[in-house]
Amino acid sequence: MTHYHLLGRTGLRVSPLALGTMTFGAPDWGSDEDTSRAIFQRYLEWGGNFVDSAVNYAGGASEELLGKFLAETGSRERIVLATKFTGAVDATDPNGWGNGRKNILRSLDTSLRRLGTDYIDLYWLHFWDTYTPVEEIVSTLDTLVRAGKVRAVGFSDVPAWYAAKAHTLAVSRGLEPVNALQMEYSLVERNIEREHVPAMRDMGMGLIPWSPLGGGFLTGKYTRAEDGRLSGDGRFTRFEHFRRQRHGDQKWAILDQLVKVAGEVGCTPAQAALNWVANRPTVTSTIIGASTRKQLDDNLGALDFDVPHDELTELSKPEPHHPYNLYDRSVWPQLPFIPDLDIRSQP
Ligand SMILES: NC(=O)c1ccc[n+]([C@@H]2O[C@H](COP(=O)([O-])OP(=O)(O)OC[C@H]3O[C@@H](n4cnc5c(N)ncnc54)[C@H](OP(=O)(O)O)[C@@H]3O)[C@@H](O)[C@H]2O)c1
């Protein structure tokens, strides 16, 4: 693995596969310290340089373990270290979570201490708290970049209008722009193609997908139980939060097609699913998750194959809806007031 991608309109170079550490130290469905260490070391051996965590992952254990592994391997400077604020640092305190200035600063101090470093390469807003004015967020993040505590800024799990507002405001005021969005994206979750992907292309942001395997569904290791739940061994059967999830007919049809394509190519379904995500337009780096070293080995091989994507892309296409159906000629071919001309952007 020798190639890197630039993150949005920054000079930051990141591997096409990022290592997710949500599982590090997570009880029940995650990995213990030894397994997490083996996963981290294997990712470094592969040549990866982009690692993702969050202040709230495994109640702080993810950042603590990561800090330990960075120190043990002496890899801090080589790693593009990403973590997130928003999730609760103190759930009993109304200002102990969210995107207000008070919590961002507290959260950053907590993350820096756990990670054993004095700067974060990519600092993510984890999710929209629905309260904090965007002006407060972009000005706080800008001060952190100017103070050298943060190198670049990204937003995760936000509406596209909110990301566009933050980015536009930052650019117009000469503040640090939003250079990346971290969103759920996989063959079984393509809703961001309606608003977020066009917005990111317009604003020059990079897309960093999470749950590219749909949490493990796209590995093919689950079968359909009679009550609509998943049957098999994995997080969907081991953890109540995930156990509640149901998968409809379309998702099972996509999985069937994925297994077929993977068989034809000679790779695993997980590799074919990751290959599809990593090769979608605007995708800068795909965050892979693994709870064992063996899973990681499998996933790190995902870019070694040419996987035919056309049928998978067609089968998993999101239903067009208003107003996007107006622009989709396959849905609404002949509107007399929109001429059918071939107009192209400058390359
Ligand atoms: N911004 C956000 O809101 C957000 C949300 C979620 C995740 N994330 C980030 O994205 C990362 C990845 O998310 P994710 O863990 O949900 O990704 P995922 O790739 O969709 O799922 C990973 C899980 O699938 C199973 N798996 C992975 N590879 C496998 C293989 N080759 N064969 C069989 N099973 C395999 C494992 O679960 P089992 O233990 O069940 O085997 C593994 O933990 C996280 O670590 C985190 O950094 C961000």
Side-chain angles (χ1 to χ4, degrees), residues 20-23 29 52 57 84 126 156-157 182 210-216 219 221-222 234-235 238 270 287-291 295 298-299:
T21 65
M22 187 174 72
T23 41
W29 54 279
D52 183 76
Y57 282 171
K84 315 183 191 78
H126 198 160
S156 162
D157 301 348
Q182 184 177 143
W210 60 262
S211 282
L213 295 176
T219 62
K221 67 181 174 185
Y222 295 103
R235 74 167 68 152
R238 277 189 254 130
I287 313 181
I288 51 173
S291 56
Q295 290 177 356
D298 188 26
N299 299 349

Side-chain angles (χ1 to χ4, degrees), residues 22-23 25-31 56-59 215 222 229-230 232-247 291:
M22 187 174 72
T23 41
D28 304 332
W29 54 279
S31 327
N56 58 304
Y57 282 171
Y222 295 103
R229 296 187 186 210
L230 302 184
D233 185 31
R235 74 167 68 152
F236 285 107
T237 52
R238 277 189 254 130
F239 194 62
E240 188 49 33
H241 166 74
F242 293 102
R243 254 181 345 139
R244 285 199 296 266
Q245 294 193 25
R246 299 285 190 276
H247 290 70
S291 56

Side-chain angles (χ1 to χ4, degrees), residues 147-176:
K149 289 190 166 189
V150 165
R151 302 285 188 260
V153 165
F155 278 24
S156 162
D157 301 348
V158 290
W161 68 262
Y162 195 77
K165 185 175 177 182
H167 180 80
T168 306
L169 190 85
V171 169
S172 67
R173 294 188 179 176
L175 304 175
E176 183 63 23

